[in-house]
């Protein structure tokens, strides 16, 4: 559920009325936050706690206590003397004793080589307005540690200095890589621009706060939601029942896009994948694609209209030499179709086709530049939020789903809750990621997953696969490429089944 801060506070108050203690909630939250650290920083190193006076600091201290056994060395930056903290965090601070080293300036402290993690325990959802000076100093220091020493910053519930309802950032607001959100997603975390401070969202469930009033028209993508959407295979299933995917992609100079789309479809479980290309491209692409992919040369892309496919993926690296044929496929095909890249540009040049296909099963997957080209025909929509734009493009088109790529991917379909993705990292800002996504979307669509859900599954899995690449391959985010995402989709599927953050 997506809630306001006040709705979350009311939920907590109701729990206290039922006899739930703040200490019990803090224990559960702290243990969950420790698990977030374990997932995103699995190799122990130096953990720096940035602590305010309130219970947010208590959550951080409980998490730190749990992580000691993993080998983490604990350091703390305090905004006040420990005796000025609230009762619960003061008790947890005292319990850690000599295992927690207080430092005066983390930016000048000589940490040993290895992972460096900052845990933001300055402010919780009750904070309003600009940060106090003593907290602003610590937030600035945390950001400097991230910028200059490449620390991984993990915020708790909301990054300190960010408005939990509206997403507005005060001066020196914490820039988190991961935000471990406690119990329910706060609305401000999903606002345009907030992702700069929020980063990856990991939802830490609290049983006593699991039911809360909130926005029923929107949903964040978490494993608890997505696992129910993932098809479960029967023991006697055969490849024909796992979905036949046809991919129209690739042209001279852009063969890699087709290859990546095919890899995405295979790794997402498609039973049969066929790449359709023109005769002149066939000898170039056939040796490149995985052995499991069938490559079919065609004289005219419109031939696909007479072929048996459960889903189509159209656009990656396609070029514009055959625009007339592709437009007719988009106009006429009754098959669930993922439209990406060059095919989206063709639609922008033929806006009438958008109207003509409004009731046909179409999943459009633009990045912001491709969306801008689509919106040139509808200038009244410029200036809207990302959520409003995708909802406006789908609310009168019963068959259309729109997935707007970005740091916080947004997905809309008429009559369905708008979806916000939680996974991924800045290393995905590189070529080919969307091509893999096209293949993954098509694979799920071919398995009879509705396009809205197929888009949600694909967005989460691609983002999680990119995260796994960092951990399994021991590489930096900047080194992650689209092939890495395709290669780790199987591990991402397993994480989804097992309920990882």
């Amino acid at each position: 559920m997506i809630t306001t801060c006040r709705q979350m506070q009311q939920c907590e108050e109701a729990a206290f009325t039922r006899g739930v203690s703040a200490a019990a909630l803090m224990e559960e939250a702290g243990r969950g936050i420790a698990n977030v650290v374990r997932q995103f920083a699995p190799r122990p190193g130096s953990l720096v706690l940035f602590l305010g006076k309130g219970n947010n600091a208590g959550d951080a201290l409980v998490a730190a206590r749990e992580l000691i056994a993993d080998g983490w060395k604990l350091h703390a930056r305090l905004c006040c003397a420990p005796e000025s903290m609230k009762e619960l965090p003061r008790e947890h601070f005292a319990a850690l004793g000599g295992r927690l080293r207080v430092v005066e300036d983390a930016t000048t402290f000589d940490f040993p080589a290895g992972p460096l993690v900052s845990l933001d325990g300055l402010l919780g959802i009750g904070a309003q307005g600009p940060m106090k000076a003593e907290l602003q100093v610590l937030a600035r220091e945390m950001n400097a540690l991230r910028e200059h020493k490449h620390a991984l910053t993990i915020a708790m519930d909301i990054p300190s200095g960010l408005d939990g309802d509206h997403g507005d950032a005060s001066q020196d607001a914490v820039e988190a890589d991961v935000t471990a959100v406690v119990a329910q997603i706060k609305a401000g975390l999903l606002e345009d621009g907030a992702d700069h401070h929020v980063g990856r969202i990991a939802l830490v469930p609290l049983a006593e706060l699991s039911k809360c009033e909130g926005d029923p028209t929107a949903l964040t993508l978490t494993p608890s939601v997505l696992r129910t959407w993932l098809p479960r295979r029967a023991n006697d299933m055969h490849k024909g029942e796992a979905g036949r995917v046809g991919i129209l992609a690739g042209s001279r100079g852009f063969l890699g896009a087709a290859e990546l789309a095919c890899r995405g479809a295979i790794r997402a479980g498609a039973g049969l994948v066929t790449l359709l290309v023109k005769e002149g491209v066939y000898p170039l692409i056939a040796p490149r694609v995985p052995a499991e992919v069938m490559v079919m040369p065609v004289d005219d892309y419109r031939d696909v209209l007479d072929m048996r496919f459960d889903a189509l993926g159209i656009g990656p690296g396609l070029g514009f030499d055959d625009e007339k044929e592709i437009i007719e496929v988009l106009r006429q095909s009754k098959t669930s179709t993922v439209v990406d890249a060059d095919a989206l540009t063709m639609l922008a040049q033929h806006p009438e086709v958008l109207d003509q296909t409004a009731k046909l099963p179409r999943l459009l997957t633009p990045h912001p530049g491709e969306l801008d080209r689509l919106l040139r025909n509808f200038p009244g929509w410029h200036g809207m939020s990302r959520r409003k734009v995708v909802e406006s493009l789908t609310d009168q088109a019963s068959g259309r789903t729109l997935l707007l790529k970005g740091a916080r991917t947004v997905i809309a379909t008429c009559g369905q809750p708008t979806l916000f993705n939680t996974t991924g990292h800045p290393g995905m800002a590189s070529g080919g990621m969307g091509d893999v996504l096209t293949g993954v979307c098509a694979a799920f669509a071919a398995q009879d997953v509705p396009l809205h859900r197929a888009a949600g599954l694909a967005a989460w899995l691609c983002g999680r696969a990119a995260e796994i690449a960092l951990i399994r391959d021991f590489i930096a985010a900047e080194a992650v490429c689209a092939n890495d995402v395709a290669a780790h989709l199987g591990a991402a599927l397993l994480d989804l089944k097992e309920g990882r953050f």
Side-chain angles (χ1 to χ4, degrees), residues 177-396:
D177 299 289
V178 180
T179 296
V181 185
V182 177
Q184 305 289 345
I185 306 294
K186 296 9 175 233
L189 302 178
L190 304 175
E191 290 292 330
D192 287 358
D195 45 278
H196 179 81
H197 295 270
V198 174
R200 206 304 199 165
I201 292 175
L203 179 61
V204 176
L206 266 62
E208 291 291 349
L209 304 181
S210 61
K211 293 179 173 58
C212 185
E213 291 186 5
D215 180 3
T217 68
L219 194 64
T220 50
L221 297 175
T222 62
S224 62
V225 171
L226 290 168
R227 276 191 291 185
T228 63
W229 299 356
L230 189 66
R232 178 67 162 143
R233 295 194 170 193
N235 291 332
D236 57 352
M237 188 175 184
H238 61 76
K239 62 186 178 184
E241 295 174 321
R244 297 174 172 85
V245 173
I247 294 179
L248 283 63
S251 59
R252 287 181 178 272
F254 300 96
L255 303 177
E259 180 183 352
L260 289 167
C262 290
R263 291 186 184 278
I266 290 170
R267 292 296 183 180
L272 294 163
V273 178
T274 303
L275 175 64
L276 296 97
V277 296
K278 286 303 180 77
E279 290 278 0
V281 176
Y282 176 81
L284 302 175
I285 191 66
R288 293 187 52 154
V289 298
E292 298 86 352
V293 175
M294 295 172 285
V295 184
M296 180 182 295
V298 294
D299 292 325
D300 191 315
Y301 281 121
R302 287 171 288 195
D303 293 346
V304 76
L305 295 170
D306 299 318
M307 298 177 186
R308 183 185 174 191
F309 290 112
D310 300 303
L312 298 175
I314 304 179
L318 192 58
F320 299 93
D321 291 345
D322 305 293
E323 181 173 347
K324 182 178 179 181
E325 297 170 16
I326 295 299
I327 285 295
E328 284 307 306
V329 173
L330 295 175
R331 193 194 310 268
Q332 296 183 41
S333 177
K334 303 298 190 293
T335 303
S336 293
T337 300
V338 183
V339 186
D340 186 34
D342 294 338
L344 286 171
T345 299
M346 294 177 196
L347 279 181
Q349 295 168 351
H350 299 273
E352 73 282 359
V353 179
L354 273 177
D355 294 331
Q356 294 166 359
T357 59
K359 296 182 179 180
L360 295 175
R362 298 288 184 268
L363 167 55
L364 279 57
T365 61
H367 58 57
E370 290 162 342
L371 180 70
D372 186 64
R373 287 194 283 274
L374 286 170
L375 291 180
R376 286 174 188 170
N377 302 293
F378 312 98
W381 288 337
H382 284 285
M384 286 185 178
S385 69
R386 288 165 57 84
R387 175 178 178 175
K388 288 296 184 183
V389 167
V390 296
E391 290 175 347
S392 295
L393 283 167
T394 56
D395 65 358
Q396 299 298 317

Side-chain angles (χ1 to χ4, degrees), residues 11 58 62 73 95 98 118 153 161 171 182 225 244 249 269 405 435 439 450 477 479:
C11 187
V62 171
K73 303 301 181 185
S118 297
T153 301
Q171 186 176 358
V182 177
V225 171
R244 297 174 172 85
K405 301 168 189 171
D435 304 324

Side-chain angles (χ1 to χ4, degrees), residues 19-31:
V20 179
S21 70
L25 292 180
M26 185 175 290
E27 282 290 324
E28 189 176 1
R31 289 193 298 268

Side-chain angles (χ1 to χ4, degrees), residues 69 80 83 165-166 219 287 305 335 356 407 433 459 468:
C80 63
E83 53 268 24
D165 288 334
H166 307 293
L219 194 64
L305 295 170
T335 303
Q356 294 166 359
M433 297 291 177
I468 293 171

